[in-house]
């Protein structure tokens, strides 16, 4: 094995609003039957990265339960495996993770006890496919110290949530601005990095001595003129779900047959934990158009341009349009829902109406919601 993997899945931000109040962003449901972290773990597995650590922190209960067996992503091996690290109080440390660099530093023994020469670091909130071996080969050919995977966004896309990168003709980074309010440049980091393991240990220890805790600001940006830091482009589909608008758009993207086929019918596959549920049931009077209906659902009403997650009940004479209904929701009769995200384990009373708009998706959380996952 030439590389080990690190998945950073402990973060949280206010851009997810109520959706992240009770779950980690990396645990957010995607495309009916998946969670965000499934995509990066599948990439690791398909790239034959056999030893992967997932660092969790914020609202990690459902994420940890999702990761309770490594077999779903084929990490259940005698060599390697899937390791989940949460913040731990020790004699030497009494802090939660204070940043991405501090997260890795607090678990530096994982790096020191490993033998792989390289480390692939990836965020848990990206939806994409990638062969990390190609990035690794590029990193070796360039004799780079750090390689940052980047994406060229469209002109109308907002770059304020990302690190914006400038490069020279050789793809070496000349400038890296983290989350600028406004930028004319559209090349952004997708949160995937390749670095030599020994160099990472050295930089983490130096940052810790200087009370610096963020991998991007205190290592990548700080050393951009000292170390050889290159970019590697991803030209296929990629989305970061860490805002309500981006999360909604990403799920709506899966209503496009081309996107669905790319992720679920083209090699390599995307893996997830499997629930033993019956297929969806469509009762007399139901009508479904351009929607994803997951297993365990019972549909009595009308659904258009929507993503319906597992174990959802949709009552008689209901209409669901342009919406996302998360797991285990009961929607009472004669209900109208449009441009909304309905939270998990919720019960929507009969004769209710919830309407958002395309610029401001409404998040529906009823007071009689059940426990959330």
């Amino acid at each position: 094995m030439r590389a080990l993997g690190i998945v950073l899945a402990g973060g949280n931000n206010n851009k997810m609003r109520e959706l992240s109040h009770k779950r980690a962003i990396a645990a957010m449901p995607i495309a009916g039957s998946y969670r965000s972290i499934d995509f990066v773990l599948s990439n690791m597995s398909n790239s034959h990265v056999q030893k992967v650590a997932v660092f969790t922190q914020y609202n990690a209960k459902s994420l940890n339960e999702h990761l309770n067996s490594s077999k779903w992503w084929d990490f259940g091996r005698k060599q390697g495996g899937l390791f989940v690290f949460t913040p731990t109080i020790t004699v030497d440390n009494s802090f939660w993770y204070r940043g991405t660099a501090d997260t890795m530093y607090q678990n530096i023994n994982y790096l020191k006890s490993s033998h792989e020469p390289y480390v692939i670091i990836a965020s848990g909130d990206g939806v994409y496919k990638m062969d990390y071996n190609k990035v690794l080969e590029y990193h070796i050919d360039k004799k780079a110290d750090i390689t940052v995977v980047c994406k060229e966004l469209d002109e109308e896309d907002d770059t304020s949530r990302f690190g914006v990168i400038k490069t020279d003709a050789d793809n070496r980074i000349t400038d890296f601005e983290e989350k600028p309010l406004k930028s004319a440049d559209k090349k952004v980091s997708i949160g995937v990095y390749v670095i030599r393991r020994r160099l990472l240990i050295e930089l983490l220890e130096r940052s810790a001595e200087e009370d610096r805790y963020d991998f991007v600001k205190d290592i990548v940006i700080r050393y951009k003129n000292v170390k050889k830091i290159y970019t590697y482009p991803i030209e296929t589909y990629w989305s970061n779900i860490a805002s309500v608008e981006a999360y909604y758009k990403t799920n709506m993207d899966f209503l496009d047959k081309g996107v669905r086929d790319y992720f679920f019918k083209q090699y390599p596959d995307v893996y997830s934990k499997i629930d033993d549920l019956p297929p969806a049931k469509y009762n007399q009077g139901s009508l479904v158009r351009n929607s994803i209906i997951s297993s365990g659902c019972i549909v009595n009403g009308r659904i258009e341009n929507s993503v319906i997650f597992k174990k959802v009940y949709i009552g008689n004479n209901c209409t669901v349009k342009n919406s996302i209904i998360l797991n285990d929701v009961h929607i009472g009769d004669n209900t109208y829902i449009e441009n909304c995200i309905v939270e998990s384990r919720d019960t929507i009373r009969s004769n209710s109406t919830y309407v958002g708009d395309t610029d401001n998706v409404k998040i529906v959380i009823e007071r009689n919601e059940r426990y959330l996952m």
Side-chain angles (χ1 to χ4, degrees), residues 280 282 288 291-295 297 299 303 306-309 314:
Y282 304 91
V288 178
S291 298
I292 295 174
I293 312 295
S294 304
S295 56
C297 291
V299 180
I303 303 174
S306 297
V307 180
I308 312 299
F309 285 82
I314 296 178

Side-chain angles (χ1 to χ4, degrees), residues 32-295:
S33 301
Y34 298 83
R35 297 199 184 222
S36 173
I37 199 169
D38 290 332
F39 294 87
V40 64
L41 291 179
S42 298
N43 290 336
M44 293 284 185
S45 180
N46 292 328
S47 302
H48 306 291
V49 180
Q50 297 180 359
K51 185 177 182 180
V52 176
V54 180
F55 297 141
T56 68
Q57 177 165 270
Y58 177 82
N59 272 335
K61 181 178 181 293
S62 60
L63 183 57
N64 289 339
E65 289 179 355
H66 186 66
L67 301 174
N68 65 359
S69 177
S70 59
K71 67 179 181 180
W72 306 114
W73 304 274
D74 194 27
F75 290 121
R77 304 180 175 100
K78 288 185 177 179
Q79 295 184 351
L82 181 66
F83 305 87
V84 179
F85 294 91
T86 56
T88 303
I89 302 300
T90 66
V91 174
D92 301 320
N93 177 70
S94 60
F95 295 103
W96 278 49
Y97 298 149
R98 292 166 288 184
T100 48
D102 186 54
T103 298
M104 291 184 279
Y105 176 74
Q106 287 194 33
N107 298 284
I108 203 166
N109 286 337
Y110 167 74
L111 294 169
K112 290 184 174 180
S113 63
S114 300
H115 302 287
E116 292 80 1
Y118 296 96
V119 180
I120 297 169
I121 303 168
S123 168
D125 56 8
V127 176
Y128 63 102
K129 277 185 176 181
M130 171 166 276
D131 184 352
Y132 294 139
N133 286 312
K134 293 182 179 179
V135 188
L136 183 57
E137 292 292 343
Y138 176 89
H139 178 85
I140 294 170
D141 290 343
K142 285 287 189 180
K143 297 181 171 59
D145 292 312
I146 303 173
T147 297
V148 181
V149 181
C150 65
K151 174 76 172 178
E152 193 80 32
L153 298 185
D154 294 333
E155 195 62 36
E156 67 274 9
D157 289 335
D158 179 22
T159 59
S160 63
R161 296 192 296 119
F162 310 109
V164 179
I165 296 171
K166 291 183 180 180
T167 59
D168 61 18
D170 195 35
N171 287 331
R172 183 168 177 173
I173 291 179
T174 58
D175 194 18
F176 194 132
E177 189 176 6
E178 180 71 347
K179 299 178 182 177
L181 290 175
K182 190 175 182 179
S183 176
D185 298 294
K186 292 296 180 179
K187 184 182 290 187
V188 302
S189 166
I190 72 165
V192 177
Y193 313 91
V194 176
I195 184 172
R196 283 186 296 112
R197 181 176 59 86
R198 292 186 181 276
L199 176 61
L200 177 60
I201 292 171
E202 174 190 330
L203 294 176
L204 291 175
E205 289 180 333
R206 190 180 304 170
S207 295
E209 290 174 359
E210 298 171 350
D211 291 328
R212 298 176 183 271
Y213 307 122
D214 189 85
F215 181 76
V216 173
K217 293 178 181 178
D218 298 324
I219 292 180
V220 178
I221 294 177
R222 188 164 185 246
Y223 288 92
K224 69 180 186 296
N225 297 321
V226 178
K227 302 294 184 181
K228 293 184 290 183
I229 305 179
Y230 288 85
T231 61
Y232 178 93
I234 178 173
E235 297 175 351
T236 51
Y237 182 96
W238 168 81
S239 178
N240 176 279
I241 65 160
S243 74
V244 170
E245 294 75 19
Y247 176 70
Y248 178 83
K249 181 181 182 301
T250 301
N251 276 286
M252 291 296 111
D253 285 346
F254 279 90
L255 298 179
D256 183 288
K257 185 177 184 297
V259 174
R260 289 198 307 276
D261 288 350
Y262 170 68
F263 278 101
F264 305 135
K265 291 188 177 181
Q266 296 179 21
Y267 181 83
D269 295 327
V270 179
Y271 314 108
S272 184
K273 182 179 179 180
I274 303 299
D275 292 327
D276 293 325
L277 295 171
K281 181 181 180 182
Y282 304 91
N283 289 327
Q284 186 174 3
S286 63
L287 176 65
V288 178
R289 292 178 177 171
N290 190 37
S291 298
I292 295 174
I293 312 295
S294 304
S295 56

Side-chain angles (χ1 to χ4, degrees), residues 16 19-20 23-30 34-37 241 247 309 326 341 343:
M16 291 298 289
L19 293 177
S20 65
R23 65 167 73 78
I25 294 175
M28 288 299 302
I30 299 289
Y34 298 83
R35 297 199 184 222
S36 173
I37 199 169
I241 65 160
Y247 176 70
F309 285 82
L326 298 183
I341 301 174
E343 182 57 284

